Amino acid sequence: MDKTILVDELLPIFKDGLTIMIGGFMGVGTSAKLVAALMESNVKDITLIVSDTATPEKGVGPLIVNSRVRKLIVSHIGTNPETGKQMIAGDIEVELVPQGTLAERIRSGGSGLGGILTPTGVGTSVAEGKEIIRVDGRDYLLETPLRADVALLKAKKADKSGNLVYNRSARNFNPIMALAADLVIAEVDEIVEIGEIDPEDVVTTGILVDKILV
Amino acid sequence: MDKTILVDELLPIFKDGLTIMIGGFMGVGTSAKLVAALMESNVKDITLIVSDTATPEKGVGPLIVNSRVRKLIVSHIGTNPETGKQMIAGDIEVELVPQGTLAERIRSGGSGLGGILTPTGVGTSVAEGKEIIRVDGRDYLLETPLRADVALLKAKKADKSGNLVYNRSARNFNPIMALAADLVIAEVDEIVEIGEIDPEDVVTTGILVDKILV
Amino acid sequence: MVESSNNVKGIIAKRVAREMNDGDVINLGIGIPTLVPNYLPKDVNVILQSENGFIGLGPLSEVDPDLVNAGGQPTGINPGGAFFDSLFSFQLIRGGHVDVTVLGGLEVDACGNLANWVIPGKMVAGMGGAMDLVTGAKKVIVAMEHCSKKGSSKILEECRLPLTGKGVVDLIVTELAVFSVTDEGLVLEEIQEGVNLETVLDKTEAKFKIR
Amino acid sequence: MVESSNNVKGIIAKRVAREMNDGDVINLGIGIPTLVPNYLPKDVNVILQSENGFIGLGPLSEVDPDLVNAGGQPTGINPGGAFFDSLFSFQLIRGGHVDVTVLGGLEVDACGNLANWVIPGKMVAGMGGAMDLVTGAKKVIVAMEHCSKKGSSKILEECRLPLTGKGVVDLIVTELAVFSVTDEGLVLEEIQEGVNLETVLDKTEAKFKIR
């Protein structure tokens, strides 16, 4: 089963209105090729789930600048002024989520959980509209799962079965997004034969990865 | 800061009534030396949190056979007949927890969460006395955190700062227990200098590990 | 007698094997389920998940005491496999990343309920990972002998033993028959070779429709 | 002016550095907090956690675009460090495995409330990891200039901006003074060198006790 794919084969996958998770932190660990393919596909009205919107030029920044995103679920937008501008103009709906909570919600979505109880955000505007549950004398927010139609990952290396290894701080949100989308596509710098990645070193198991773009 | 410790230095740490987590699955990935030290310390009334009670001779089995455990939080006891015997006789209190839920509860305890919502156990005796929370039309059990006074781990290799690497299926519950106890002690087969374990290969960061027994 | 029992187990495992598709991620319980790979067609390659922490369970090659299956027995890992901790293992299981789980059963009923972890006052094995597996796997197959050692039907109108999972079973495979669990109760999908309908009716407590 | 501002930042960072103990695991926000390591005594070695996914943040050695700090700037990793994903990173942060976090602030108040992520209608940066850090770290230090650029006190009786965390701050360090947050409100722990009490009283909106 060969999971490798060419950019041209990706284009029909991308459709208007999809919910897409994209790995990365300030653009580090974001697949530039997959973001470029999304741009090329001309899709719009994306719901984007991402750590941050990086800068106008980097990471998912171009998707924001070119108005491809209708809704954003994100922890930080301060480094891309275009995001704030579109948000204030009402052109993009932004749900700000604490970064640790964002990670937990994605993991919940990918792990069959109905959510988690976190103390983060209690007593802040993040708590608005959320259920507060008291456990052992402390208040927690019930934070619910996030899933996506497609996850776009960036890894250092894959074997042909899709096992992934990441590079340094480019790992960030990629491994948990691999759990939480119906279709998981990874750009990798290098692809090797099955057996060349030690089972101890695999970070994302190939059963989670559907397509590999080299 | 040298974290290495000798067995004799361990003995005063073990006290009656402690809550102790011990890694391992059917005894694989359980520290035989740390279990032996517990035996030698003559402590009793332990609350033990463990995947299973292995066999009478293996893993945590001897702690059961020698009546050191007052309460057991565990997913499987079928391979150690002594556990069932003591349970039926009322000598040991057993809380049976689905294995995935046990892992989640330990992680919650080690990650500052108030618990997680799992579908596992809904409609079974596991649900008795637990809060049922409906999310997106599906029922989930609220499962609350577990923590321990001491966690006893087994790893393949440590560096002197306590970074741990495991061997094959001996990893199991060890990495999450490292998060969830006030004092974390690891037996390792080999100890190396700081810098000899690649930061990409570290499974348990040394900041979680207090003591290392070679 | 042993011969015959092995025969029965083989018949069940062989039929279960036909449910597997190439590329499926499978988790097999102990007992009859572990026999399933022996009966897979050559063009069907499945990936075995072991809930104690790896993907790619394979034949034993070198013995490493740290490499065991979910029954604690020495095993091997295939190229392309991966090790992880128990947390991640159950993320895969509960998160729907396992296509099929095959488990033994003490009782199954017409609502798809399964009981296989405790006989009150008698055997208390514990559920291990079974409750997570039946809740999370995309397809749950119960592979078991049709009747208990005492000869009573294990396919009931309603389970009497404490449940492992409620409404979780998709397919029941025994040495006599194959039943699917549908919204309208059990449906007899097949009768095993050499068995007649009367025997199935006689040995099955639960009502069932015939496809 | 720049000179003077740098001076102020140095004074704050230097005082924060005195709060660190050998072996502490520290997470530093962007801005003034990143200057803290420059002022650590030689016998105090701390371990820096970077919420984007590693332990052992160190000086830049070789430039790898995949190795950045939480501000997205190229950085290094010390021997003994470890990489992990965002989930694990925040498990460490929320789980109390970080001893001290040092963050900047827009406003802090007498109840230990902190606001530093949004000015409604103006700046919407987002909270990033700050809400998790102030909730989970064992000790929360706010390192900031005492007054806003317009000269108004940033230490208030009650925060007016949306909160980052409620009752989370342990210590406030500015170029004028050091306050601890106690059950009875703010306590003035120290006045910075060359500053007098009148200045602190004049520039601080919140009431405080004097130790």
Side-chain angles (χ1 to χ4, degrees):
Chain A
M1 186 177 34
D2 190 359
K3 294 183 174 179
T4 56
I5 193 170
L6 300 172
V7 170
D8 288 350
E9 299 173 85
L10 280 171
L11 301 185
I13 291 171
F14 299 140
K15 290 189 191 339
D16 291 354
L18 284 181
T19 296
I20 304 182
M21 288 180 181
I22 302 184
F25 180 100
M26 291 287 288
V28 173
T30 301
S31 165
K33 280 185 190 166
L34 289 169
V35 169
L38 257 184
M39 291 293 297
E40 200 186 330
S41 74
N42 282 318
V43 295
K44 55 184 192 300
D45 294 333
I46 296 169
T47 294
L48 181 63
I49 301 172
V50 70
S51 159
D52 56 78
T53 49
T55 66
E57 300 79 27
K58 219 185 154 183
V60 302
L63 295 173
I64 303 291
V65 172
N66 292 280
S67 303
R68 302 302 180 80
V69 180
R70 188 185 52 77
K71 185 176 175 183
L72 191 56
I73 301 175
V74 68
S75 77
H76 199 267
I77 60 173
T79 52
N80 186 340
E82 187 61 29
T83 314
K85 225 177 282 175
Q86 292 183 19
M87 178 181 165
I88 288 163
D91 295 334
I92 188 169
E93 181 190 343
V94 178
E95 181 182 346
L96 285 163
V97 181
Q99 201 167 130
T101 300
L102 185 64
E104 289 289 340
R105 292 180 67 189
I106 294 167
R107 187 191 80 102
S108 281
S111 307
L113 298 179
I116 52 101
L117 305 188
T118 181
T120 301
V122 170
T124 77
S125 61
V126 165
E128 282 166 22
K130 283 175 192 155
E131 201 171 336
I132 291 174
I133 294 176
R134 204 169 176 82
V135 176
D136 226 1
R138 189 174 183 189
D139 284 340
Y140 296 91
L141 301 186
L142 169 56
E143 293 279 6
T144 52
L146 288 173
R147 283 191 62 86
D149 299 306
V150 183
L152 304 180
L153 315 183
K154 173 70 174 68
K156 179 185 178 185
K157 189 161 71 170
D159 68 20
K160 285 181 174 170
S161 75
N163 285 313
L164 302 181
V165 169
Y166 301 91
N167 188 38
R168 304 185 141 200
S169 67
R171 194 183 304 191
N172 53 65
F173 277 80
N174 287 292
I176 48 174
M177 288 177 171
L179 285 160
D182 295 339
L183 181 73
V184 175
I185 308 169
E187 181 203 337
V188 298
D189 296 331
E190 183 191 2
I191 190 160
V192 298
E193 294 301 320
I194 291 172
E196 288 188 45
I197 301 179
D198 185 327
E200 298 279 10
D201 296 340
V202 172
V203 177
T204 296
T205 158
I207 68 165
L208 299 173
V209 178
D210 300 297
K211 301 288 172 196
I212 307 164
L213 180 71
V214 184
Chain B
M1 187 177 33
D2 191 0
K3 293 182 174 179
T4 55
I5 193 169
L6 301 172
V7 169
D8 288 349
E9 301 173 83
L10 280 172
L11 301 186
I13 291 171
F14 298 139
K15 292 190 192 334
D16 291 354
L18 284 180
T19 296
I20 305 183
M21 288 179 180
I22 303 184
F25 180 98
M26 291 285 288
V28 173
T30 301
S31 165
K33 281 186 190 167
L34 289 169
V35 169
L38 257 184
M39 290 291 298
E40 200 186 329
S41 74
N42 282 317
V43 295
K44 51 184 193 302
D45 294 333
I46 296 169
T47 294
L48 181 63
I49 302 171
V50 70
S51 159
D52 57 79
T53 49
T55 65
E57 300 78 28
K58 219 185 155 183
V60 301
L63 295 172
I64 303 291
V65 172
N66 291 280
S67 303
R68 303 302 179 80
V69 180
R70 190 185 51 77
K71 186 176 174 183
L72 191 56
I73 301 175
V74 67
S75 77
H76 199 268
I77 60 172
T79 52
N80 186 341
E82 188 61 31
T83 314
K85 226 177 282 174
Q86 292 183 19
M87 178 182 166
I88 288 164
D91 295 334
I92 188 169
E93 182 190 343
V94 178
E95 181 182 345
L96 284 164
V97 181
Q99 200 166 131
T101 300
L102 185 64
E104 289 290 340
R105 292 180 67 190
I106 294 167
R107 188 191 80 100
S108 282
S111 308
L113 298 178
I116 53 101
L117 305 188
T118 181
T120 301
V122 170
T124 76
S125 61
V126 165
E128 282 165 21
K130 284 176 190 153
E131 201 171 337
I132 291 174
I133 295 176
R134 204 168 177 82
V135 176
D136 225 2
R138 190 174 183 191
D139 285 340
Y140 296 90
L141 300 186
L142 169 56
E143 293 279 6
T144 53
L146 288 173
R147 283 191 62 87
D149 299 306
V150 183
L152 304 181
L153 315 183
K154 172 70 175 69
K156 179 184 177 185
K157 190 162 69 172
D159 69 20
K160 286 182 173 167
S161 74
N163 285 312
L164 301 182
V165 169
Y166 301 91
N167 188 39
R168 303 185 142 199
S169 67
R171 193 183 306 191
N172 54 65
F173 276 81
N174 287 294
I176 47 175
M177 288 177 171
L179 286 159
D182 296 339
L183 181 71
V184 176
I185 307 169
E187 181 202 337
V188 299
D189 296 332
E190 182 192 3
I191 189 161
V192 298
E193 293 301 319
I194 291 173
E196 287 187 45
I197 301 179
D198 185 327
E200 298 280 9
D201 295 339
V202 172
V203 177
T204 295
T205 159
I207 68 164
L208 299 173
V209 178
D210 300 297
K211 302 287 173 196
I212 307 164
L213 180 72
V214 184
Chain C
M1 190 65 199
V2 170
E3 183 62 35
S4 146
S5 162
N6 280 344
N7 229 352
V8 161
K9 287 174 181 169
I11 289 166
I12 299 169
K14 189 174 176 183
R15 179 57 190 82
V16 171
R18 278 173 45 205
E19 295 295 318
M20 307 299 167
N21 297 309
D22 190 43
D24 274 354
V25 178
I26 314 281
N27 184 295
L28 300 175
I30 53 174
I32 296 172
T34 57
L35 303 175
V36 170
N38 304 341
Y39 298 97
L40 287 172
K42 281 208 176 118
D43 57 342
V44 174
N45 290 298
V46 300
I47 300 166
L48 296 178
Q49 200 260 2
S50 194
E51 69 255 32
N52 55 322
F54 62 108
I55 280 276
L57 186 86
L60 187 64
S61 47
E62 22 116 41
V63 174
D64 179 339
D66 280 346
L67 183 51
V68 299
N69 63 23
Q73 300 306 311
T75 191
I77 184 167
N78 288 326
F83 291 108
F84 32 75
D85 66 15
S86 299
L87 184 83
F88 190 85
S89 182
F90 283 92
Q91 288 180 191
L92 293 180
I93 288 169
R94 217 181 26 235
H97 305 289
V98 170
D99 296 303
V100 187
T101 187
V102 186
L103 300 94
L106 295 169
E107 295 177 354
V108 193
D109 73 21
C111 298
N113 297 329
L114 169 67
N116 72 353
W117 71 281
V118 61
I119 304 175
K122 214 170 152 193
M123 179 210 76
V124 192
M127 66 292 280
M131 283 194 181
D132 300 284
L133 278 160
V134 298
T135 305
K138 284 190 203 145
K139 185 173 183 175
V140 175
I141 301 177
V142 174
M144 63 177 193
E145 298 187 36
H146 204 93
C147 294
S148 72
K149 278 173 190 154
K150 291 183 178 163
S152 61
S153 174
K154 293 166 72 176
I155 305 176
L156 309 176
E157 201 48 34
E158 201 172 338
C159 285
R160 292 181 275 260
L161 293 172
L163 298 185
T164 304
K166 191 172 175 170
V168 293
V169 178
D170 296 294
L171 201 74
I172 305 164
V173 178
T174 77
E175 75 281 18
L176 302 182
V178 178
F179 299 92
S180 62
V181 182
T182 74
D183 290 346
E184 290 141 30
L186 296 184
V187 173
L188 179 66
E189 297 285 344
E190 280 175 38
I191 299 178
Q192 296 276 20
E193 207 183 306
V195 177
N196 59 38
L197 180 58
E198 286 63 38
T199 307
V200 177
L201 283 164
D202 184 47
K203 304 269 190 189
T204 308
E205 189 206 278
K207 295 190 199 85
F208 56 85
K209 295 192 179 179
I210 298 168
R211 182 162 305 270
Chain D
M1 192 62 200
V2 170
E3 183 63 33
S4 146
S5 160
N6 280 345
N7 229 351
V8 161
K9 287 174 182 168
I11 289 165
I12 299 169
K14 190 173 175 183
R15 179 57 189 82
V16 170
R18 280 173 41 204
E19 296 295 317
M20 306 300 168
N21 297 308
D22 191 43
D24 275 354
V25 178
I26 315 280
N27 184 295
L28 300 174
I30 52 174
I32 296 172
T34 57
L35 304 175
V36 171
N38 304 341
Y39 297 97
L40 287 172
K42 278 203 178 124
D43 57 343
V44 175
N45 290 298
V46 301
I47 301 167
L48 296 178
Q49 200 260 3
S50 194
E51 70 255 32
N52 55 323
F54 60 109
I55 281 276
L57 186 87
L60 187 65
S61 47
E62 22 116 41
V63 174
D64 179 338
D66 280 346
L67 182 50
V68 300
N69 62 22
Q73 300 307 311
T75 191
I77 185 167
N78 288 327
F83 291 108
F84 32 76
D85 65 15
S86 299
L87 184 83
F88 191 85
S89 182
F90 283 92
Q91 289 181 189
L92 293 179
I93 287 169
R94 219 182 24 237
H97 305 289
V98 170
D99 296 303
V100 187
T101 186
V102 186
L103 300 94
L106 295 169
E107 295 177 353
V108 193
D109 72 22
C111 298
N113 297 330
L114 169 67
N116 72 353
W117 70 280
V118 60
I119 303 175
K122 212 168 153 195
M123 178 211 76
V124 192
M127 66 292 280
M131 284 194 180
D132 300 283
L133 278 161
V134 298
T135 305
K138 283 190 204 143
K139 185 173 182 174
V140 176
I141 301 177
V142 175
M144 64 176 193
E145 299 186 35
H146 205 94
C147 294
S148 72
K149 278 175 190 152
K150 289 182 179 163
S152 60
S153 174
K154 293 166 74 177
I155 304 177
L156 309 176
E157 202 48 35
E158 200 170 341
C159 286
R160 293 182 274 260
L161 292 172
L163 299 186
T164 306
K166 191 171 174 169
V168 293
V169 178
D170 296 294
L171 202 74
I172 306 164
V173 178
T174 78
E175 76 282 17
L176 302 183
V178 179
F179 299 91
S180 62
V181 182
T182 73
D183 291 345
E184 290 141 30
L186 296 184
V187 174
L188 178 67
E189 296 284 345
E190 280 176 39
I191 299 178
Q192 296 274 21
E193 206 184 307
V195 177
N196 58 37
L197 180 59
E198 286 63 38
T199 308
V200 177
L201 282 164
D202 184 49
K203 304 267 190 190
T204 308
E205 189 206 278
K207 295 190 200 84
F208 56 85
K209 295 192 179 181
I210 297 169
R211 183 164 302 270

